[in-house]
């Protein structure tokens, strides 16, 4: 498996995640215009929809991607996946709707009672987009994912700008309605782009459904633990240190989005790639791809880490005008996550790809529990610095456990990973030869 074969997928993956980053920057304009209470209500509804849709598709579509190349009955695979996705979301959405009043009171979102209907509405509007993107993950058509996502962000930005010019962007409901329209447009593009993979008909395979549900429960469990893992520290900091500390923590998380984009990009490619190799029984190629992936990931992440360390003072003294003292040192501490993220992300892609979802789930659960305990203890003694230390320890533990399970499953070694530096030399040599031939 040559490096050059993965460059095109890498380009489209980076481009797709670039859309996310660009839209995040654009949202700064929305934050300045929309009243803070309305923006808070918008985020609460949006987060609820994103969490439930993510967990629903983890339960149903992760098995679809896993078994895409392992079953000949694609119609049964598609039917079973849709049953799992829709059943789970319908159950959760019904619960949200039934308890919308106490949820609104408990989370101090005074308008959620009136906005709760947007959770299922957003899901219905976004269904085709999410479904098509999972199909394209299975078929490795990353360029199609880019265009489906591009449609969503382009319509969002265009309509929001029009509302801003007309001075009509003033409520959470307005912004959520814009999202519904944008999702519906991307759903239309998604269904059209994936039409050759979507099979007409309905067929349930009980045996396959059970197999998919068993795999899906671990993907779902990993999704639940990841949700707790990614969000809990915010609430602990707010509860123990107050909103000022949470604001400082939020600025650090903003700059750490470099790592988030990298993780999302790798996750998009790694799982289906390893799943396909496993289905084709290409054990040696799984090992090679893992070693190359970890080696190149660490090079990229190390460069990101050095950039964050060197630029920390500029970020906080110039861009944020010294508003958050201590933020630069906190960012430097958090940037050390770059030393372990590659091992964790590539390793989890392998474990899910080869069907070792239980090991990935166990690793996540151990890391999640340790993160909760460490955050409470270390924040109590060391303040917000304790949150950084807790993250470093818990993610380091997760990377260690994942790497151990990968080593036990496919027999990789540190020396094998380090030997991949020769691939760069060989790739550059081949590129130079091709250039000379063209001349």
């Amino acid at each position: 498996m040559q490096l050059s074969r993965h460059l095109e997928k890498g380009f489209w993956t980076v481009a797709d995640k670039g859309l996310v980053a660009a839209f995040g920057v654009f949202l700064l304009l929305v934050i300045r215009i929309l009243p803070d209470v309305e923006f808070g209500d918008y985020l609460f509804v949006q987060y609820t929809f994103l969490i439930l849709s993510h967990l629903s598709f983890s339960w149903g579509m992760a098995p679809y991607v896993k078994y895409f190349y392992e079953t000949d009955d694609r119609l049964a695979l598609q039917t079973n996946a849709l049953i799992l996705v829709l059943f789970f979301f319908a159950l959760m959405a019904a619960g949200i709707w039934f308890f919308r009043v106490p949820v609104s009171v408990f989370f101090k979102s005074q308008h959620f009672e009136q906005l709760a209907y947007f959770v299922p509405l957003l899901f219905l509007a976004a269904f085709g987009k999410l479904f098509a993107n999972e199909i394209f993950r299975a078929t490795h058509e990353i360029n199609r994912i880019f265009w489906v996502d591009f449609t969503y962000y382009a319509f969002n930005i265009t309509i929001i700008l029009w509302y801003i010019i007309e001075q009509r962007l003033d409520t959470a409901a307005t912004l959520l309605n814009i999202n519904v329209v944008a999702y519906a447009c991307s759903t239309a593009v998604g269904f059209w782009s994936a039409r050759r993979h979507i099979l007409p008909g309905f067929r349930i395979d009980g045996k396959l459904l059970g197999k998919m549900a068993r795999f899906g429960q671990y993907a779902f469990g990993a999704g639940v633990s990841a949700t707790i893992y990614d969000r809990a520290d915010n609430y602990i900091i707010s509860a123990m240190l107050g909103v000022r500390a949470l604001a400082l923590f939020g600025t650090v998380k903003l700059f750490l989005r470099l790592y988030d984009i990298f993780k999302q990009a790798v996750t998009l490619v790694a799982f289906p790639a390893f799943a396909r190799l496993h289905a084709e029984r290409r054990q040696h190629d799984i090992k090679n791809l893992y070693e190359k992936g970890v080696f190149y990931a660490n090079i990229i992440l190390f460069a990101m880490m050095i950039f964050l360390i060197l630029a920390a003072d500029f970020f906080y003294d110039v861009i944020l005008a010294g508003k958050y003292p201590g933020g630069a040192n906190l960012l430097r501490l958090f940037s050390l996550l770059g030393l372990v993220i590659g091992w964790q992300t590539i390793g989890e892609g392998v474990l899910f790809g080869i069907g070792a979802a239980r090991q990935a789930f166990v690793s996540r659960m151990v890391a999640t529990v340790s993160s909760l305990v460490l955050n409470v203890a270390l924040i109590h003694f060391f303040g917000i610095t304790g949150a950084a230390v807790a993250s470093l320890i818990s993610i380091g533990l997760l990377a260690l456990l994942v790497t151990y399970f990968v080593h036990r499953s496919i027999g990789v070694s540190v020396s094998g990973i380090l030997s991949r530096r020769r691939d760069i030399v060989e790739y550059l040599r081949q590129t130079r030869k091709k250039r000379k031939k063209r001349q």
Side-chain angles (χ1 to χ4, degrees):
M1 300 183 67
Q2 297 177 355
L3 175 64
S4 56
R5 294 182 184 179
H6 303 285
L7 290 181
E8 183 180 356
K9 291 185 179 66
F11 167 79
W12 287 110
T13 301
V14 171
D16 184 66
K17 298 312 167 186
L19 292 175
V20 179
F23 187 68
V25 174
F26 173 77
L27 279 181
L28 294 175
L29 178 60
V30 175
I31 294 170
R32 292 186 60 176
I33 295 172
L34 203 64
D36 55 355
V37 174
E38 295 292 337
F39 188 68
D41 287 330
Y42 165 76
L43 288 179
F44 190 84
V45 174
Q46 185 70 260
Y47 286 159
T48 304
F49 152 68
L50 290 174
I51 289 171
L52 292 186
S53 61
H54 170 69
L55 294 179
S56 300
F57 275 80
S58 293
W59 184 276
M61 293 303 291
Y64 177 92
V65 176
K66 170 68 180 81
Y67 298 116
F68 189 81
Y69 293 102
E70 296 184 25
T71 179
D72 295 326
D73 194 348
R74 295 279 173 82
L75 179 57
L77 183 70
Q78 174 183 285
T79 302
N80 292 345
L82 292 176
I83 288 173
L84 292 172
V85 170
L86 296 174
F87 173 78
F88 177 82
F89 188 87
L91 192 65
M92 293 297 100
I96 290 290
W97 179 256
F98 184 77
F99 293 106
R100 65 189 184 281
V101 175
V103 167
S104 181
V105 173
F106 184 81
F107 289 102
K108 298 180 176 61
S109 176
Q110 57 182 334
H111 297 132
F112 182 72
E113 180 183 352
Q114 293 81 33
L115 298 173
Y117 74 92
F118 273 108
V119 175
L121 181 59
L122 285 166
F123 182 80
L124 291 174
F127 181 79
K129 172 187 184 296
L130 301 173
F131 182 54
N133 281 357
E134 290 298 316
I135 292 175
F136 296 142
R137 282 184 68 202
T139 58
H140 309 285
E141 296 174 275
I142 309 302
N143 59 319
R144 295 184 183 274
I145 294 178
F146 170 83
W147 291 115
V148 172
D149 289 345
F150 178 82
T151 303
Y152 169 71
Y153 291 119
F155 273 91
N156 246 324
I157 291 173
T158 302
I159 300 172
I160 288 173
L161 283 175
W162 185 78
Y163 268 79
I164 290 174
I165 293 170
E166 294 290 319
Q167 298 183 344
R168 295 172 56 189
L169 188 66
D170 53 4
T171 67
T174 301
L175 193 53
L176 288 166
N177 276 313
I178 293 172
N179 288 169
V180 169
V181 173
Y183 273 128
C185 293
S186 62
T187 278
V189 173
F191 275 134
W192 175 260
S193 301
R195 64 191 185 281
R196 64 191 177 92
H197 299 296
I198 299 175
L199 303 175
F202 184 87
R203 180 163 60 248
I204 297 176
D205 184 327
K207 184 177 179 180
L208 179 60
L209 180 62
K211 187 179 178 181
M212 293 173 69
R214 285 190 294 273
F215 181 87
Q217 69 183 351
Y218 292 115
F220 170 79
V224 170
S225 64
T227 299
I228 297 172
Y229 188 77
D230 292 337
R231 303 290 181 186
D233 50 2
N234 294 282
Y235 297 103
I236 295 171
I237 287 173
S238 181
M240 298 180 70
L241 303 178
V243 292
R244 287 188 176 180
L246 182 59
L248 171 59
F249 191 65
T251 64
V252 174
K253 284 293 185 74
L254 179 64
F255 295 118
L256 291 175
R257 283 189 179 180
L258 275 175
Y259 291 158
D260 292 335
I261 291 172
F262 173 85
K263 288 192 292 184
Q264 292 168 7
V266 169
T267 301
L268 186 67
V269 175
F271 171 35
F274 286 116
R276 181 171 187 173
L277 292 175
H278 180 68
E280 296 171 356
R281 303 184 184 279
R282 295 162 61 183
Q283 200 71 11
H284 183 69
D285 285 338
I286 292 176
K287 180 180 177 180
N288 286 344
L289 183 58
Y290 170 80
E291 291 177 347
K292 290 179 182 181
V294 169
F295 182 79
Y296 297 124
N298 278 308
I299 290 176
I300 294 170
L301 288 165
F302 185 77
M304 289 181 180
M305 183 182 72
I306 296 300
F307 168 73
L308 290 173
I309 291 173
L310 295 178
D313 286 326
F314 175 78
F315 290 153
Y316 281 89
D317 294 341
V318 179
I319 294 180
L320 297 181
K323 188 176 178 180
Y324 296 97
N329 289 330
L330 190 63
L331 176 58
R332 289 190 182 98
L333 187 56
F334 263 109
S335 67
L336 297 177
L337 292 171
L339 297 173
V340 294
I341 286 174
W343 299 86
Q344 170 222 329
T345 311
I346 304 291
E348 286 184 323
V350 171
L351 293 179
F352 278 111
I354 65 175
R358 183 176 180 275
Q359 288 87 332
F361 172 70
V362 169
S363 301
R364 274 278 177 177
M365 288 305 299
V366 171
T368 299
V369 172
S370 70
S371 176
L372 290 173
V373 173
L374 287 170
N375 268 293
V376 172
L378 295 179
I379 291 173
H380 175 74
F381 287 106
F382 303 106
I384 198 166
T385 302
V389 177
S391 291
L392 288 169
I393 294 174
S394 58
I395 294 182
L397 177 61
L398 175 58
L400 186 65
L401 287 171
V402 167
T403 304
Y404 166 74
F405 285 125
V406 170
H407 170 72
R408 200 172 71 172
S409 299
I410 62 176
V412 297
S413 64
V414 174
S415 60
I417 292 169
L418 293 176
S419 70
R420 294 301 166 180
R421 66 186 182 275
R422 294 193 294 266
D423 294 339
I424 297 178
V425 177
E426 179 63 22
Y427 173 72
L428 293 175
R429 189 175 66 84
Q430 293 294 335
T431 302
R432 190 181 303 169
K433 277 186 177 181
K434 290 178 181 178
R435 287 180 179 175
K436 288 182 178 179
K437 286 182 180 179
R438 285 197 295 265
Q439 293 174 356

